[in-house]
Amino acid sequence: MSAGDGAAVSAVEGKLAELSASCDLRTLPKRGKSASARTLNTAQIQLVAGHPEVYEPCDDSFALVDALLSDKAQLLTLQPSLCMEVGCGSGYVITSLAIMLRQLGSGTQYLATDINQHAVETTQATLEAHGVHADVIATDIVSGLEKRLAGMVDVVVVNPPYVPTPEEEIGMKGIASSWAGGLNGRQVIDRILPAVRELLSEKGCLYMIALEDNDPLGICHLMNEKGFASRVLLKRCTDEESLYVLKFWQDAAAGANASQSGRSPRAESWLSQLPFKSFWHKNAGSS
Amino acid sequence: MRLLTHNFLASNVKGVSTGYPLALEVAKTSIKEVELNVDFLRGILPKIDWRALFAATSAAGFPELLAAEQPPEAELFAEGAAAVEGSAIRRLHHALLEIHVEEGTLVCPDSGRSFPILKGVPNMLLHEDEVRH
């Protein structure tokens, strides 16, 4: 990293610290007005199954579901045939997705995977408690589905293991698999992204959570190089972390523009609303 | 696991080139009725490996459900067929979306590696020495 980049990063950190103070105003309220919408459109917490080795719905799960809810109209217009969650944990997110798209009936089918066998059982129980169905598979990311499901999935949702940890914590069984993300929290994310890109249909969308530490901008840049446009659907600051819900979709112009100018106009449209725009321009200029 | 999902699942063991279709051994099934959606079936049919679906329905105990060789497309999407009890499209809907394999085994056709299905969930998890790197 050059000294220039270092300065840019500090500037970004400074701006983000400033932003944190006003962050609550920028996010959907967790309770209050949205509470009734959430009850009707999502899984109910008291019906979500649990297990000591399975990640319980938490701030990140709620952020992802709130982002999906905020994009519900687009999801309904998309009329997805196949929706999938990678890393379904308690089942809160895939169950909520199935509930919010219930009006599409059996025109929309759901799949969910998790590497943790307790999680797949918990997800099954959560789905059943809400009277919705997804086929649940115990597997690593999408292993076993990559060939036949290529280009077929219209919606993928992922709350990945994003917490920066020592590399050796990756591959641990049980609940650790729900959070251990290795270096910068990116090691599992960087395996998930190419796998999901293969599965997405032409009209397909990926909704994924990323932490500030995961370099969400870098993730968008990487996806842009592969022909995906991106948008930040939601940003939420908690005491411990800044969460982003990113949405990606295929856009022929994204890859073409990326190769010409090193950045995408689509990405810029949301970047312009965020404080690290200057960082992006600086990097794009120096590359 | 429904037969729709079985149709998209392949063996992921190291050294296996196709690993498809997975042979299905069924110990227990359940039937859960869902509303029929002609558009979904029309959209998914070109992606379905019919031979694999036929083999799976037979393994699940419904050998007469589908035509063996290929989907009877004209008959499937004939006007009003969805309303007719026992029509080809109703049988296809039943095969893909209503039969659930609760207990059984999936067997890789190339390596013979078996993957258990327990409580409706196929377990495709591999041991470290079986994973492709």
Side-chain angles (χ1 to χ4, degrees), chain A residues 106-107 109 111 115 117 124 133 135-136 138-139 143-145 147-149 152, chain B residues 2 5 7 10 12 17-18 20 35 37 40 47 49 100 119 121-124:
Chain A
S106 55
Q109 298 297 328
L111 276 170
I115 197 169
Q117 283 174 270
Q124 286 276 57
H133 182 81
D135 273 2
V136 188
T139 196
S143 182
L145 293 164
K147 280 186 215 155
R148 291 270 302 138
L149 218 51
M152 284 197 51
Chain B
R2 292 165 308 172
T5 297
N7 211 265
N12 49 1
S17 57
T18 53
Y20 185 87
E35 156 214 10
N37 186 308
F40 176 81
K47 313 283 188 184
D49 184 308
H100 294 244
K119 296 180 189 166
V121 178
N123 183 343
M124 304 303 292

PDB file of all heavy atoms in Angstrom, chain A residues 106-107 109 111 115 117 124 133 135-136 138-139 143-145 147-149 152, chain B residues 2 5 7 10 12 17-18 20 35 37 40 47 49 100 119 121-124:
ATOM      1  N   SER A 106     -46.505 -21.326  -5.911  1.00  0.00           N
ATOM      2  CA  SER A 106     -45.521 -22.348  -6.275  1.00  0.00           C
ATOM      3  C   SER A 106     -44.815 -21.995  -7.577  1.00  0.00           C
ATOM      4  O   SER A 106     -44.089 -22.820  -8.129  1.00  0.00           O
ATOM      5  CB  SER A 106     -46.178 -23.722  -6.335  1.00  0.00           C
ATOM      6  OG  SER A 106     -47.276 -23.682  -7.225  1.00  0.00           O
ATOM      7  N   GLY A 107     -45.003 -20.775  -8.062  1.00  0.00           N
ATOM      8  CA  GLY A 107     -44.178 -20.288  -9.163  1.00  0.00           C
ATOM      9  C   GLY A 107     -42.762 -19.992  -8.716  1.00  0.00           C
ATOM     10  O   GLY A 107     -41.867 -19.801  -9.539  1.00  0.00           O
ATOM     11  N   GLN A 109     -39.709 -21.380  -6.163  1.00  0.00           N
ATOM     12  CA  GLN A 109     -39.233 -22.468  -5.309  1.00  0.00           C
ATOM     13  C   GLN A 109     -37.948 -22.039  -4.609  1.00  0.00           C
ATOM     14  O   GLN A 109     -37.207 -21.196  -5.119  1.00  0.00           O
ATOM     15  CB  GLN A 109     -38.991 -23.727  -6.149  1.00  0.00           C
ATOM     16  CG  GLN A 109     -40.255 -24.254  -6.811  1.00  0.00           C
ATOM     17  CD  GLN A 109     -41.309 -24.698  -5.802  1.00  0.00           C
ATOM     18  OE1 GLN A 109     -40.983 -25.166  -4.703  1.00  0.00           O
ATOM     19  NE2 GLN A 109     -42.579 -24.552  -6.164  1.00  0.00           N
ATOM     20  N   LEU A 111     -34.366 -22.977  -2.221  1.00  0.00           N
ATOM     21  CA  LEU A 111     -33.309 -23.900  -1.831  1.00  0.00           C
ATOM     22  C   LEU A 111     -32.477 -23.223  -0.744  1.00  0.00           C
ATOM     23  O   LEU A 111     -32.322 -21.997  -0.766  1.00  0.00           O
ATOM     24  CB  LEU A 111     -32.361 -24.150  -2.999  1.00  0.00           C
ATOM     25  CG  LEU A 111     -32.710 -25.191  -4.043  1.00  0.00           C
ATOM     26  CD1 LEU A 111     -31.739 -25.048  -5.210  1.00  0.00           C
ATOM     27  CD2 LEU A 111     -32.608 -26.586  -3.450  1.00  0.00           C
ATOM     28  N   ILE A 115     -23.270 -25.587   5.755  1.00  0.00           N
ATOM     29  CA  ILE A 115     -22.216 -26.585   5.986  1.00  0.00           C
ATOM     30  C   ILE A 115     -22.378 -27.238   7.358  1.00  0.00           C
ATOM     31  O   ILE A 115     -21.786 -28.269   7.645  1.00  0.00           O
ATOM     32  CB  ILE A 115     -20.820 -25.921   5.845  1.00  0.00           C
ATOM     33  CG1 ILE A 115     -19.724 -26.959   5.654  1.00  0.00           C
ATOM     34  CG2 ILE A 115     -20.537 -24.987   7.028  1.00  0.00           C
ATOM     35  CD1 ILE A 115     -18.397 -26.383   5.243  1.00  0.00           C
ATOM     36  N   GLN A 117     -24.529 -29.195   9.990  1.00  0.00           N
ATOM     37  CA  GLN A 117     -25.684 -30.109   9.969  1.00  0.00           C
ATOM     38  C   GLN A 117     -26.769 -29.718  10.973  1.00  0.00           C
ATOM     39  O   GLN A 117     -27.944 -29.955  10.728  1.00  0.00           O
ATOM     40  CB  GLN A 117     -25.224 -31.541  10.216  1.00  0.00           C
ATOM     41  CG  GLN A 117     -24.598 -32.135   8.964  1.00  0.00           C
ATOM     42  CD  GLN A 117     -24.012 -33.496   9.224  1.00  0.00           C
ATOM     43  OE1 GLN A 117     -22.857 -33.621   9.588  1.00  0.00           O
ATOM     44  NE2 GLN A 117     -24.825 -34.515   9.065  1.00  0.00           N
ATOM     45  N   GLN A 124     -34.935 -26.379   8.660  1.00  0.00           N
ATOM     46  CA  GLN A 124     -36.126 -27.184   8.370  1.00  0.00           C
ATOM     47  C   GLN A 124     -37.234 -26.894   9.374  1.00  0.00           C
ATOM     48  O   GLN A 124     -38.389 -26.691   9.014  1.00  0.00           O
ATOM     49  CB  GLN A 124     -35.803 -28.687   8.462  1.00  0.00           C
ATOM     50  CG  GLN A 124     -34.997 -29.273   7.335  1.00  0.00           C
ATOM     51  CD  GLN A 124     -35.854 -29.669   6.154  1.00  0.00           C
ATOM     52  OE1 GLN A 124     -36.563 -28.830   5.624  1.00  0.00           O
ATOM     53  NE2 GLN A 124     -35.784 -30.904   5.716  1.00  0.00           N
ATOM     54  N   HIS A 133     -41.936 -23.799   2.487  1.00  0.00           N
ATOM     55  CA  HIS A 133     -41.017 -24.880   2.184  1.00  0.00           C
ATOM     56  C   HIS A 133     -39.805 -24.413   1.403  1.00  0.00           C
ATOM     57  O   HIS A 133     -39.906 -23.610   0.484  1.00  0.00           O
ATOM     58  CB  HIS A 133     -41.712 -25.995   1.385  1.00  0.00           C
ATOM     59  CG  HIS A 133     -40.784 -27.143   1.113  1.00  0.00           C
ATOM     60  ND1 HIS A 133     -40.526 -28.111   2.056  1.00  0.00           N
ATOM     61  CD2 HIS A 133     -40.002 -27.424   0.053  1.00  0.00           C
ATOM     62  CE1 HIS A 133     -39.632 -28.960   1.567  1.00  0.00           C
ATOM     63  NE2 HIS A 133     -39.301 -28.563   0.351  1.00  0.00           N
ATOM     64  N   ASP A 135     -36.150 -26.631  -0.067  1.00  0.00           N
ATOM     65  CA  ASP A 135     -35.340 -27.839   0.008  1.00  0.00           C
ATOM     66  C   ASP A 135     -34.000 -27.442   0.605  1.00  0.00           C
ATOM     67  O   ASP A 135     -33.329 -26.539   0.112  1.00  0.00           O
ATOM     68  CB  ASP A 135     -35.156 -28.450  -1.390  1.00  0.00           C
ATOM     69  CG  ASP A 135     -36.308 -29.385  -1.741  1.00  0.00           C
ATOM     70  OD1 ASP A 135     -37.242 -29.523  -0.930  1.00  0.00           O
ATOM     71  OD2 ASP A 135     -36.272 -29.979  -2.837  1.00  0.00           O
ATOM     72  N   VAL A 136     -33.631 -28.135   1.681  1.00  0.00           N
ATOM     73  CA  VAL A 136     -32.421 -27.784   2.415  1.00  0.00           C
ATOM     74  C   VAL A 136     -31.366 -28.858   2.160  1.00  0.00           C
ATOM     75  O   VAL A 136     -31.669 -30.055   2.163  1.00  0.00           O
ATOM     76  CB  VAL A 136     -32.717 -27.668   3.927  1.00  0.00           C
ATOM     77  CG1 VAL A 136     -31.514 -27.106   4.663  1.00  0.00           C
ATOM     78  CG2 VAL A 136     -33.930 -26.776   4.169  1.00  0.00           C
ATOM     79  N   ALA A 138     -27.312 -30.096   3.081  1.00  0.00           N
ATOM     80  CA  ALA A 138     -26.081 -29.910   3.850  1.00  0.00           C
ATOM     81  C   ALA A 138     -24.920 -29.991   2.875  1.00  0.00           C
ATOM     82  O   ALA A 138     -24.619 -31.060   2.330  1.00  0.00           O
ATOM     83  CB  ALA A 138     -25.966 -31.005   4.915  1.00  0.00           C
ATOM     84  N   THR A 139     -24.291 -28.856   2.630  1.00  0.00           N
ATOM     85  CA  THR A 139     -23.159 -28.850   1.704  1.00  0.00           C
ATOM     86  C   THR A 139     -22.309 -27.612   1.929  1.00  0.00           C
ATOM     87  O   THR A 139     -22.722 -26.671   2.614  1.00  0.00           O
ATOM     88  CB  THR A 139     -23.640 -28.936   0.228  1.00  0.00           C
ATOM     89  OG1 THR A 139     -22.543 -29.302  -0.609  1.00  0.00           O
ATOM     90  CG2 THR A 139     -24.235 -27.623  -0.256  1.00  0.00           C
ATOM     91  N   SER A 143     -21.723 -26.696  -3.267  1.00  0.00           N
ATOM     92  CA  SER A 143     -21.081 -27.888  -3.807  1.00  0.00           C
ATOM     93  C   SER A 143     -22.114 -28.962  -4.165  1.00  0.00           C
ATOM     94  O   SER A 143     -22.982 -29.297  -3.357  1.00  0.00           O
ATOM     95  CB  SER A 143     -20.092 -28.444  -2.772  1.00  0.00           C
ATOM     96  OG  SER A 143     -19.429 -29.562  -3.297  1.00  0.00           O
ATOM     97  N   GLY A 144     -22.020 -29.487  -5.383  1.00  0.00           N
ATOM     98  CA  GLY A 144     -22.960 -30.494  -5.870  1.00  0.00           C
ATOM     99  C   GLY A 144     -24.058 -29.886  -6.737  1.00  0.00           C
ATOM    100  O   GLY A 144     -24.763 -30.588  -7.452  1.00  0.00           O
ATOM    101  N   LEU A 145     -24.208 -28.555  -6.661  1.00  0.00           N
ATOM    102  CA  LEU A 145     -25.264 -27.893  -7.437  1.00  0.00           C
ATOM    103  C   LEU A 145     -24.677 -27.061  -8.577  1.00  0.00           C
ATOM    104  O   LEU A 145     -25.410 -26.579  -9.445  1.00  0.00           O
ATOM    105  CB  LEU A 145     -26.081 -26.965  -6.530  1.00  0.00           C
ATOM    106  CG  LEU A 145     -26.910 -27.662  -5.455  1.00  0.00           C
ATOM    107  CD1 LEU A 145     -27.345 -26.660  -4.381  1.00  0.00           C
ATOM    108  CD2 LEU A 145     -28.138 -28.338  -6.074  1.00  0.00           C
ATOM    109  N   LYS A 147     -22.989 -27.503 -11.286  1.00  0.00           N
ATOM    110  CA  LYS A 147     -23.096 -27.830 -12.718  1.00  0.00           C
ATOM    111  C   LYS A 147     -24.514 -27.669 -13.233  1.00  0.00           C
ATOM    112  O   LYS A 147     -24.770 -26.931 -14.162  1.00  0.00           O
ATOM    113  CB  LYS A 147     -22.677 -29.290 -12.947  1.00  0.00           C
ATOM    114  CG  LYS A 147     -21.176 -29.489 -12.985  1.00  0.00           C
ATOM    115  CD  LYS A 147     -20.864 -30.928 -13.368  1.00  0.00           C
ATOM    116  CE  LYS A 147     -19.618 -31.395 -12.636  1.00  0.00           C
ATOM    117  NZ  LYS A 147     -19.559 -32.839 -12.476  1.00  0.00           N
ATOM    118  N   ARG A 148     -25.433 -28.366 -12.609  1.00  0.00           N
ATOM    119  CA  ARG A 148     -26.802 -28.426 -13.127  1.00  0.00           C
ATOM    120  C   ARG A 148     -27.613 -27.173 -12.824  1.00  0.00           C
ATOM    121  O   ARG A 148     -28.601 -26.904 -13.491  1.00  0.00           O
ATOM    122  CB  ARG A 148     -27.502 -29.665 -12.558  1.00  0.00           C
ATOM    123  CG  ARG A 148     -26.955 -30.969 -13.085  1.00  0.00           C
ATOM    124  CD  ARG A 148     -27.684 -31.429 -14.336  1.00  0.00           C
ATOM    125  NE  ARG A 148     -29.099 -31.593 -14.090  1.00  0.00           N
ATOM    126  CZ  ARG A 148     -30.048 -31.211 -14.933  1.00  0.00           C
ATOM    127  NH1 ARG A 148     -29.739 -30.605 -16.056  1.00  0.00           N
ATOM    128  NH2 ARG A 148     -31.319 -31.411 -14.629  1.00  0.00           N
ATOM    129  N   LEU A 149     -27.198 -26.429 -11.828  1.00  0.00           N
ATOM    130  CA  LEU A 149     -27.965 -25.238 -11.464  1.00  0.00           C
ATOM    131  C   LEU A 149     -27.344 -23.958 -12.050  1.00  0.00           C
ATOM    132  O   LEU A 149     -27.840 -22.860 -11.806  1.00  0.00           O
ATOM    133  CB  LEU A 149     -28.049 -25.139  -9.932  1.00  0.00           C
ATOM    134  CG  LEU A 149     -29.352 -24.650  -9.310  1.00  0.00           C
ATOM    135  CD1 LEU A 149     -30.556 -25.406  -9.826  1.00  0.00           C
ATOM    136  CD2 LEU A 149     -29.293 -24.728  -7.793  1.00  0.00           C
ATOM    137  N   MET A 152     -29.286 -20.626 -13.361  1.00  0.00           N
ATOM    138  CA  MET A 152     -30.721 -20.891 -13.145  1.00  0.00           C
ATOM    139  C   MET A 152     -31.326 -20.201 -11.938  1.00  0.00           C
ATOM    140  O   MET A 152     -32.544 -20.199 -11.781  1.00  0.00           O
ATOM    141  CB  MET A 152     -30.931 -22.391 -12.989  1.00  0.00           C
ATOM    142  CG  MET A 152     -30.854 -23.092 -14.316  1.00  0.00           C
ATOM    143  SD  MET A 152     -31.560 -24.724 -14.204  1.00  0.00           S
ATOM    144  CE  MET A 152     -33.127 -24.407 -13.474  1.00  0.00           C
TER     145      MET A 152
ATOM    146  N   ARG B   2     -37.151 -32.679  -2.498  1.00  0.00           N
ATOM    147  CA  ARG B   2     -38.062 -33.060  -3.564  1.00  0.00           C
ATOM    148  C   ARG B   2     -37.274 -33.522  -4.802  1.00  0.00           C
ATOM    149  O   ARG B   2     -36.077 -33.286  -4.923  1.00  0.00           O
ATOM    150  CB  ARG B   2     -38.960 -31.879  -3.898  1.00  0.00           C
ATOM    151  CG  ARG B   2     -39.909 -31.564  -2.748  1.00  0.00           C
ATOM    152  CD  ARG B   2     -40.525 -30.228  -2.884  1.00  0.00           C
ATOM    153  NE  ARG B   2     -39.504 -29.200  -3.088  1.00  0.00           N
ATOM    154  CZ  ARG B   2     -39.789 -27.953  -3.394  1.00  0.00           C
ATOM    155  NH1 ARG B   2     -41.027 -27.567  -3.528  1.00  0.00           N
ATOM    156  NH2 ARG B   2     -38.819 -27.075  -3.543  1.00  0.00           N
ATOM    157  N   THR B   5     -35.147 -30.998  -6.714  1.00  0.00           N
ATOM    158  CA  THR B   5     -33.784 -30.766  -6.227  1.00  0.00           C
ATOM    159  C   THR B   5     -32.867 -31.920  -6.595  1.00  0.00           C
ATOM    160  O   THR B   5     -31.717 -31.714  -6.991  1.00  0.00           O
ATOM    161  CB  THR B   5     -33.816 -30.518  -4.703  1.00  0.00           C
ATOM    162  OG1 THR B   5     -34.573 -29.324  -4.477  1.00  0.00           O
ATOM    163  CG2 THR B   5     -32.430 -30.340  -4.135  1.00  0.00           C
ATOM    164  N   ASN B   7     -32.956 -33.547  -9.173  1.00  0.00           N
ATOM    165  CA  ASN B   7     -32.622 -33.392 -10.590  1.00  0.00           C
ATOM    166  C   ASN B   7     -31.440 -32.441 -10.803  1.00  0.00           C
ATOM    167  O   ASN B   7     -30.800 -32.472 -11.851  1.00  0.00           O
ATOM    168  CB  ASN B   7     -33.852 -32.902 -11.355  1.00  0.00           C
ATOM    169  CG  ASN B   7     -33.874 -33.395 -12.789  1.00  0.00           C
ATOM    170  OD1 ASN B   7     -33.436 -32.690 -13.696  1.00  0.00           O
ATOM    171  ND2 ASN B   7     -34.333 -34.621 -12.988  1.00  0.00           N
ATOM    172  N   ALA B  10     -25.559 -33.120  -8.145  1.00  0.00           N
ATOM    173  CA  ALA B  10     -24.567 -34.052  -8.692  1.00  0.00           C
ATOM    174  C   ALA B  10     -23.541 -34.396  -7.619  1.00  0.00           C
ATOM    175  O   ALA B  10     -23.376 -33.663  -6.642  1.00  0.00           O
ATOM    176  CB  ALA B  10     -23.876 -33.422  -9.898  1.00  0.00           C
ATOM    177  N   ASN B  12     -20.087 -34.478  -5.862  1.00  0.00           N
ATOM    178  CA  ASN B  12     -19.036 -33.461  -5.841  1.00  0.00           C
ATOM    179  C   ASN B  12     -17.699 -34.027  -5.382  1.00  0.00           C
ATOM    180  O   ASN B  12     -16.809 -33.305  -4.961  1.00  0.00           O
ATOM    181  CB  ASN B  12     -19.490 -32.307  -4.927  1.00  0.00           C
ATOM    182  CG  ASN B  12     -20.007 -32.815  -3.578  1.00  0.00           C
ATOM    183  OD1 ASN B  12     -20.011 -34.026  -3.322  1.00  0.00           O
ATOM    184  ND2 ASN B  12     -20.434 -31.918  -2.718  1.00  0.00           N
ATOM    185  N   SER B  17     -16.003 -37.017 -12.860  1.00  0.00           N
ATOM    186  CA  SER B  17     -16.198 -36.017 -13.915  1.00  0.00           C
ATOM    187  C   SER B  17     -17.669 -35.606 -14.057  1.00  0.00           C
ATOM    188  O   SER B  17     -17.979 -34.426 -14.030  1.00  0.00           O
ATOM    189  CB  SER B  17     -15.649 -36.528 -15.238  1.00  0.00           C
ATOM    190  OG  SER B  17     -16.269 -37.750 -15.574  1.00  0.00           O
ATOM    191  N   THR B  18     -18.580 -36.580 -14.183  1.00  0.00           N
ATOM    192  CA  THR B  18     -19.990 -36.188 -14.302  1.00  0.00           C
ATOM    193  C   THR B  18     -20.728 -36.339 -12.966  1.00  0.00           C
ATOM    194  O   THR B  18     -21.316 -35.384 -12.481  1.00  0.00           O
ATOM    195  CB  THR B  18     -20.731 -36.999 -15.382  1.00  0.00           C
ATOM    196  OG1 THR B  18     -20.519 -38.378 -15.114  1.00  0.00           O
ATOM    197  CG2 THR B  18     -20.251 -36.652 -16.768  1.00  0.00           C
ATOM    198  N   TYR B  20     -23.390 -37.755 -12.305  1.00  0.00           N
ATOM    199  CA  TYR B  20     -24.811 -37.455 -12.492  1.00  0.00           C
ATOM    200  C   TYR B  20     -25.432 -38.463 -13.441  1.00  0.00           C
ATOM    201  O   TYR B  20     -24.786 -38.839 -14.415  1.00  0.00           O
ATOM    202  CB  TYR B  20     -24.963 -36.042 -13.059  1.00  0.00           C
ATOM    203  CG  TYR B  20     -26.409 -35.609 -13.161  1.00  0.00           C
ATOM    204  CD1 TYR B  20     -27.041 -35.019 -12.081  1.00  0.00           C
ATOM    205  CD2 TYR B  20     -27.132 -35.829 -14.333  1.00  0.00           C
ATOM    206  CE1 TYR B  20     -28.369 -34.651 -12.163  1.00  0.00           C
ATOM    207  CE2 TYR B  20     -28.462 -35.461 -14.416  1.00  0.00           C
ATOM    208  CZ  TYR B  20     -29.077 -34.869 -13.338  1.00  0.00           C
ATOM    209  OH  TYR B  20     -30.387 -34.513 -13.407  1.00  0.00           O
ATOM    210  N   GLU B  35     -50.065 -25.999  -4.679  1.00  0.00           N
ATOM    211  CA  GLU B  35     -50.826 -25.506  -5.823  1.00  0.00           C
ATOM    212  C   GLU B  35     -49.989 -25.679  -7.110  1.00  0.00           C
ATOM    213  O   GLU B  35     -48.771 -25.503  -7.106  1.00  0.00           O
ATOM    214  CB  GLU B  35     -51.154 -24.029  -5.533  1.00  0.00           C
ATOM    215  CG  GLU B  35     -51.421 -23.148  -6.709  1.00  0.00           C
ATOM    216  CD  GLU B  35     -50.921 -21.711  -6.460  1.00  0.00           C
ATOM    217  OE1 GLU B  35     -50.216 -21.477  -5.447  1.00  0.00           O
ATOM    218  OE2 GLU B  35     -51.243 -20.863  -7.280  1.00  0.00           O
ATOM    219  N   ASN B  37     -48.590 -24.728 -10.719  1.00  0.00           N
ATOM    220  CA  ASN B  37     -48.299 -23.495 -11.433  1.00  0.00           C
ATOM    221  C   ASN B  37     -47.752 -23.856 -12.828  1.00  0.00           C
ATOM    222  O   ASN B  37     -46.606 -24.304 -12.962  1.00  0.00           O
ATOM    223  CB  ASN B  37     -47.285 -22.665 -10.636  1.00  0.00           C
ATOM    224  CG  ASN B  37     -47.038 -21.299 -11.260  1.00  0.00           C
ATOM    225  OD1 ASN B  37     -46.735 -21.203 -12.451  1.00  0.00           O
ATOM    226  ND2 ASN B  37     -47.172 -20.253 -10.477  1.00  0.00           N
ATOM    227  N   PHE B  40     -44.495 -22.093 -14.001  1.00  0.00           N
ATOM    228  CA  PHE B  40     -43.268 -22.619 -13.406  1.00  0.00           C
ATOM    229  C   PHE B  40     -42.836 -23.896 -14.125  1.00  0.00           C
ATOM    230  O   PHE B  40     -41.666 -24.068 -14.482  1.00  0.00           O
ATOM    231  CB  PHE B  40     -43.453 -22.898 -11.911  1.00  0.00           C
ATOM    232  CG  PHE B  40     -42.248 -23.523 -11.280  1.00  0.00           C
ATOM    233  CD1 PHE B  40     -41.168 -22.744 -10.904  1.00  0.00           C
ATOM    234  CD2 PHE B  40     -42.172 -24.899 -11.110  1.00  0.00           C
ATOM    235  CE1 PHE B  40     -40.031 -23.323 -10.360  1.00  0.00           C
ATOM    236  CE2 PHE B  40     -41.044 -25.486 -10.556  1.00  0.00           C
ATOM    237  CZ  PHE B  40     -39.970 -24.699 -10.184  1.00  0.00           C
ATOM    238  N   LYS B  47     -35.014 -27.447 -18.439  1.00  0.00           N
ATOM    239  CA  LYS B  47     -33.818 -27.632 -17.601  1.00  0.00           C
ATOM    240  C   LYS B  47     -33.816 -28.987 -16.907  1.00  0.00           C
ATOM    241  O   LYS B  47     -32.831 -29.366 -16.280  1.00  0.00           O
ATOM    242  CB  LYS B  47     -33.758 -26.547 -16.515  1.00  0.00           C
ATOM    243  CG  LYS B  47     -34.010 -25.157 -16.996  1.00  0.00           C
ATOM    244  CD  LYS B  47     -32.805 -24.612 -17.702  1.00  0.00           C
ATOM    245  CE  LYS B  47     -32.993 -23.132 -18.019  1.00  0.00           C
ATOM    246  NZ  LYS B  47     -31.876 -22.597 -18.796  1.00  0.00           N
ATOM    247  N   ASP B  49     -33.619 -32.882 -16.455  1.00  0.00           N
ATOM    248  CA  ASP B  49     -33.121 -34.106 -17.086  1.00  0.00           C
ATOM    249  C   ASP B  49     -34.211 -35.162 -16.896  1.00  0.00           C
ATOM    250  O   ASP B  49     -34.422 -35.670 -15.798  1.00  0.00           O
ATOM    251  CB  ASP B  49     -31.813 -34.524 -16.424  1.00  0.00           C
ATOM    252  CG  ASP B  49     -31.191 -35.741 -17.096  1.00  0.00           C
ATOM    253  OD1 ASP B  49     -31.909 -36.770 -17.266  1.00  0.00           O
ATOM    254  OD2 ASP B  49     -30.010 -35.680 -17.446  1.00  0.00           O
ATOM    255  N   HIS B 100     -41.711 -35.892  -1.435  1.00  0.00           N
ATOM    256  CA  HIS B 100     -40.538 -35.540  -0.630  1.00  0.00           C
ATOM    257  C   HIS B 100     -39.828 -36.815  -0.192  1.00  0.00           C
ATOM    258  O   HIS B 100     -40.462 -37.696   0.388  1.00  0.00           O
ATOM    259  CB  HIS B 100     -40.949 -34.762   0.622  1.00  0.00           C
ATOM    260  CG  HIS B 100     -41.540 -33.418   0.325  1.00  0.00           C
ATOM    261  ND1 HIS B 100     -40.951 -32.250   0.714  1.00  0.00           N
ATOM    262  CD2 HIS B 100     -42.677 -33.061  -0.331  1.00  0.00           C
ATOM    263  CE1 HIS B 100     -41.686 -31.216   0.315  1.00  0.00           C
ATOM    264  NE2 HIS B 100     -42.749 -31.690  -0.314  1.00  0.00           N
ATOM    265  N   LYS B 119     -34.050 -36.987   7.515  1.00  0.00           N
ATOM    266  CA  LYS B 119     -35.070 -35.971   7.823  1.00  0.00           C
ATOM    267  C   LYS B 119     -35.264 -35.020   6.651  1.00  0.00           C
ATOM    268  O   LYS B 119     -35.373 -33.800   6.826  1.00  0.00           O
ATOM    269  CB  LYS B 119     -34.683 -35.188   9.075  1.00  0.00           C
ATOM    270  CG  LYS B 119     -34.642 -36.036  10.337  1.00  0.00           C
ATOM    271  CD  LYS B 119     -34.244 -35.164  11.525  1.00  0.00           C
ATOM    272  CE  LYS B 119     -33.981 -36.012  12.756  1.00  0.00           C
ATOM    273  NZ  LYS B 119     -33.300 -35.264  13.806  1.00  0.00           N
ATOM    274  N   VAL B 121     -33.146 -34.075   4.387  1.00  0.00           N
ATOM    275  CA  VAL B 121     -31.986 -33.279   3.979  1.00  0.00           C
ATOM    276  C   VAL B 121     -30.865 -34.162   3.435  1.00  0.00           C
ATOM    277  O   VAL B 121     -30.332 -35.003   4.162  1.00  0.00           O
ATOM    278  CB  VAL B 121     -31.433 -32.455   5.171  1.00  0.00           C
ATOM    279  CG1 VAL B 121     -30.191 -31.665   4.755  1.00  0.00           C
ATOM    280  CG2 VAL B 121     -32.495 -31.529   5.719  1.00  0.00           C
ATOM    281  N   PRO B 122     -30.506 -34.003   2.155  1.00  0.00           N
ATOM    282  CA  PRO B 122     -29.348 -34.733   1.646  1.00  0.00           C
ATOM    283  C   PRO B 122     -28.059 -34.140   2.215  1.00  0.00           C
ATOM    284  O   PRO B 122     -27.928 -32.923   2.312  1.00  0.00           O
ATOM    285  CB  PRO B 122     -29.420 -34.503   0.131  1.00  0.00           C
ATOM    286  CG  PRO B 122     -30.241 -33.286  -0.056  1.00  0.00           C
ATOM    287  CD  PRO B 122     -31.152 -33.169   1.139  1.00  0.00           C
ATOM    288  N   ASN B 123     -27.162 -35.016   2.598  1.00  0.00           N
ATOM    289  CA  ASN B 123     -25.895 -34.568   3.166  1.00  0.00           C
ATOM    290  C   ASN B 123     -24.780 -34.755   2.141  1.00  0.00           C
ATOM    291  O   ASN B 123     -24.306 -35.858   1.926  1.00  0.00           O
ATOM    292  CB  ASN B 123     -25.596 -35.362   4.443  1.00  0.00           C
ATOM    293  CG  ASN B 123     -24.336 -34.892   5.128  1.00  0.00           C
ATOM    294  OD1 ASN B 123     -23.504 -34.195   4.522  1.00  0.00           O
ATOM    295  ND2 ASN B 123     -24.171 -35.253   6.388  1.00  0.00           N
ATOM    296  N   MET B 124     -24.381 -33.661   1.505  1.00  0.00           N
ATOM    297  CA  MET B 124     -23.358 -33.696   0.460  1.00  0.00           C
ATOM    298  C   MET B 124     -21.980 -33.326   1.004  1.00  0.00           C
ATOM    299  O   MET B 124     -21.047 -33.082   0.245  1.00  0.00           O
ATOM    300  CB  MET B 124     -23.718 -32.715  -0.670  1.00  0.00           C
ATOM    301  CG  MET B 124     -25.083 -32.926  -1.304  1.00  0.00           C
ATOM    302  SD  MET B 124     -25.310 -34.587  -1.979  1.00  0.00           S
ATOM    303  CE  MET B 124     -24.150 -34.550  -3.351  1.00  0.00           C
TER     304      MET B 124
END
